[in-house]
Amino acid sequence: MRYISTRGQAPALNFEDVLLAGLASDGGLYVPENLPRFTVEEIASWAGLPYHELAFRVMRPFVAGSIADADFKRILEETYGVFAHQAVAPLTQLGANEWVLELFQGPTLAFKDFALQLLGRLLDHVLAKRNERVVIMGATSGDTGSAAIEGCKACDNVDIFIMHPHNRVSEVQRRQMTTILGDNIHNIAIEGNFDDCQEMVKASFADQGFLKGTRLVAVNSINWARIMAQIVYYFHAALQLGAPHRSVAFSVPTGNFGDIFAGYLARNMGLPINQLIVATNRNDILHRFMSGNRYDKDTLHPSLSPSMDIMVSSNFERLLFDLHGRNGAAVSALMDEFKATGKLSVEDDRWTEARRLFDSLAVDDEQTCATIAEVHGQTGYLLDPHTAIGVKAARECRRSLALPMVVLGTAHPVKFPEAVEKAGIAAVPQLPPHLADLFQREERCSVLPNDLKAVQDFVSQHGNRGKPL
Ligand SMILES: *Cc1c(COP(=O)(O)O)cnc(C)c1O
């Protein structure tokens, strides 16, 4: 499989190089040159497969030529073996033909584990073959950091540095990062805010001299391997609900457009999906595009669903590429315009096409809490605020009551107790058994000033399993 850039100017790469690349050299994002397409018979024959075996069949075409079948099978079995639930991604029924796909049974209790557990293992495999080591740098305000650290903790060839704003992440989220101990794991608390952390990551990618030749890798949601891993659970859920002989609808709590883009790809690969709903919080740039053809940058509104608090959606460019007939020059011009003006809209027929592909809704904090309370009252089931946004959008936008509606359950409610409390629910969500002693575990973290040089010195002093690069 070869991968091409959404801006048309960067060289095509194979899977291995895309895994290590992050952004393309022309500023674009990598997408598969040709999407595999499965027949109805093929998809039907996968019913009942264990998660890792289905994952092998869905993802095999994407890694072809880079990762041998036997290696890929072993990596997938290991990856999805660490999930707490035997079904890996179990479905829970909420109402008539309405389901939550629980994607929070992984080590850090959010769906990001599906991709980052795999990404860490794939990186380590490829690096061992090349006899190379890399450094990962990332900034987090919560979920991504812990999932990335968990995904890399067993990697021999990766040192990971995750920055979070000092004293500005919740105690559960901090402990989920700082209690994972290892020579190659480096938590840095920055005396600044999340944007300061992110700026330092960006500056480090722009000027990598401090790394003395070691490659720097990104694990944010633009990494193609993360999208690829997320395609699988759309197939897994739909197969259990009667696909490919019956269509299924999905409602997806959305921020950077990575998770729902994976659903869009699943449909293009042959999975019968009759509806894909983009569910956003007040940070609704995607809903404004879908409903009014206005992709305009707004200020950031902190919400009760912080993992969806974004100003721009980094993976949206991948959809724009398809909407423009995969014309890199057209996408490049649009993105230049967006960079200059903070605004973007597309020609009418392209927008009509986007509306045919997606429905959307923006849900504010009040409606989020009301939905948590409503579902808890109806069923006793406790939703996290991100998933609640998906449920609300599913109920508002649903096109057919006769077809199953699946809401992606993106996080466990224990991670977001504030929203549960505001919903007026007295029962406090409990940590699952594998994290029950989280508050007793030893923490390891370095506090650094909000200063690029200090951070880069720290990385070069510790980037080789805690020793200097
Ligand atoms: C990251 C995240 C999202 C948003 O996913 P995108 O792929 O960025 O759209 C939603 N919910 C939770 C809990 C998350 O961690």
Side-chain angles (χ1 to χ4, degrees):
M1 173 72 76
R2 279 157 41 101
Y3 293 85
I4 56 173
S5 165
T6 50
R7 300 199 190 172
Q9 295 297 311
L13 299 181
N14 64 20
F15 177 76
E16 190 173 316
D17 290 324
V18 156
L19 185 67
L20 298 167
L23 270 189
S25 57
D26 57 5
L29 306 182
Y30 277 105
V31 289
E33 188 168 43
N34 296 298
L35 206 60
R37 198 170 164 93
F38 304 119
T39 64
V40 170
E41 293 72 36
E42 237 173 324
I43 296 171
S45 74
W46 299 341
L49 285 180
Y51 193 91
H52 65 273
E53 289 191 25
L54 177 67
F56 174 73
R57 285 163 177 81
V58 172
M59 290 190 278
R60 186 180 184 217
F62 294 116
V63 306
S66 289
I67 306 207
D69 280 356
D71 291 332
F72 196 39
K73 275 188 184 162
R74 176 182 47 77
I75 289 169
L76 290 169
E77 192 168 355
E78 262 177 45
T79 298
Y80 297 108
V82 304
F83 281 62
H85 198 291
Q86 282 219 324
V88 182
L91 282 164
T92 294
Q93 189 155 15
L94 280 192
N97 248 342
E98 184 187 56
W99 310 77
V100 170
L101 178 62
E102 294 189 347
L103 300 175
F104 48 75
Q105 302 282 350
T108 74
L109 312 180
F111 85 92
K112 291 184 170 70
D113 287 328
F114 275 83
L116 286 162
Q117 285 293 318
L118 179 60
L119 182 62
R121 287 174 174 83
L122 286 174
L123 273 176
D124 214 38
H125 174 75
V126 162
L127 292 168
K129 253 190 349 192
R130 295 183 173 215
N131 195 20
E132 204 181 313
R133 294 184 54 83
V134 299
V135 162
I136 288 174
M137 282 177 80
T140 190
S141 50
D143 286 348
T144 308
S146 56
I149 291 171
E150 270 287 350
C152 291
K153 74 176 179 194
C155 295
D156 292 328
N157 306 301
V158 176
D159 271 76
I160 181 163
F161 295 81
I162 295 292
M163 289 184 252
H164 68 263
H166 189 38
N167 292 333
R168 295 194 201 189
V169 297
S170 76
E171 186 168 6
V172 172
Q173 296 214 328
R174 187 192 73 236
R175 285 182 165 273
Q176 282 193 300
M177 298 190 276
T178 57
T179 60
I180 305 169
L181 310 179
D183 295 346
N184 63 331
I185 293 170
H186 315 279
N187 276 286
I188 305 175
I190 296 289
E191 292 172 322
N193 61 30
F194 171 67
D195 289 331
D196 297 327
C197 299
Q198 208 164 27
E199 279 309 313
M200 289 197 274
V201 173
K202 272 194 201 159
S204 299
F205 272 90
D207 183 0
Q208 303 186 11
F210 69 102
L211 291 167
K212 306 184 171 123
T214 303
R215 190 200 286 261
L216 187 60
V217 169
V219 292
N220 51 10
S221 73
I222 55 144
N223 191 302
W224 162 256
R226 285 185 59 179
I227 308 270
M228 171 184 86
Q230 292 166 13
I231 298 170
V232 177
Y233 46 68
Y234 288 90
F235 278 89
H236 193 252
L239 275 163
Q240 288 179 70
L241 296 171
H245 308 299
R246 175 156 87 148
S247 280
V248 177
F250 288 92
S251 177
V252 185
T254 298
N256 273 318
F257 205 70
D259 211 4
I260 193 152
F261 188 72
Y264 160 84
L265 294 177
R267 180 162 61 190
N268 289 347
M269 290 162 72
L271 189 68
I273 296 178
N274 77 311
Q275 195 181 4
L276 278 172
I277 302 171
V278 177
T280 76
N281 65 20
R282 247 198 88 194
N283 298 284
D284 60 351
I285 185 167
L286 287 167
H287 175 59
R288 280 180 282 126
F289 175 75
M290 295 299 170
S291 56
N293 196 5
R294 289 204 329 266
Y295 188 82
D296 298 353
K297 199 164 162 178
D298 189 4
T299 51
L300 191 76
H301 305 286
S303 79
L304 290 174
S305 44
S307 302
M308 290 155 58
D309 289 352
I310 47 96
M311 290 196 291
V312 299
S313 259
S314 41
N315 283 291
F316 183 61
E317 181 169 339
R318 289 187 157 116
L319 178 68
L320 285 176
F321 186 58
D322 281 1
L323 288 177
H324 289 80
R326 311 202 105 199
N327 177 343
V331 172
S332 195
L334 270 178
M335 296 314 293
D336 284 347
E337 177 196 323
F338 183 67
K339 197 171 175 197
T341 64
K343 291 182 200 305
L344 179 163
S345 58
V346 299
E347 290 152 35
D348 267 353
D349 52 340
R350 305 193 197 282
W351 180 62
T352 308
E353 171 67 3
R355 300 213 5 148
R356 192 183 66 76
L357 295 168
F358 299 97
D359 293 309
S360 69
L361 189 72
V363 178
D364 65 20
D365 279 351
E366 204 178 314
Q367 294 169 309
T368 303
C369 291
T371 306
I372 294 174
E374 178 183 294
V375 168
H376 189 257
Q378 287 166 342
T379 65
Y381 189 77
L382 197 50
L383 296 170
D384 102 286
H386 306 79
T387 310
I389 288 171
V391 169
K392 175 71 177 169
R395 291 182 175 181
E396 295 286 323
C397 303
R398 189 163 183 175
R399 290 187 194 179
S400 167
L401 291 172
L403 294 175
M405 168 61 76
V406 178
V407 178
L408 266 50
T410 52
H412 192 293
V414 76
K415 293 188 88 165
F416 302 97
E418 193 192 343
V420 174
E421 216 171 280
K422 286 209 166 125
I425 294 168
V428 190
Q430 297 295 311
L431 284 163
H434 70 277
L435 286 170
D437 64 343
L438 186 66
F439 286 85
Q440 282 81 53
R441 291 184 194 168
E442 177 191 348
E443 288 189 81
R444 217 173 278 169
C445 181
S446 306
V447 181
L448 292 182
N450 179 12
D451 176 67
L452 183 61
K453 172 103 181 21
V455 168
Q456 294 187 337
D457 284 348
F458 185 87
V459 173
S460 67
Q461 282 307 307
H462 299 90
N464 184 10
R465 297 204 81 88
K467 301 197 182 67
L469 285 172

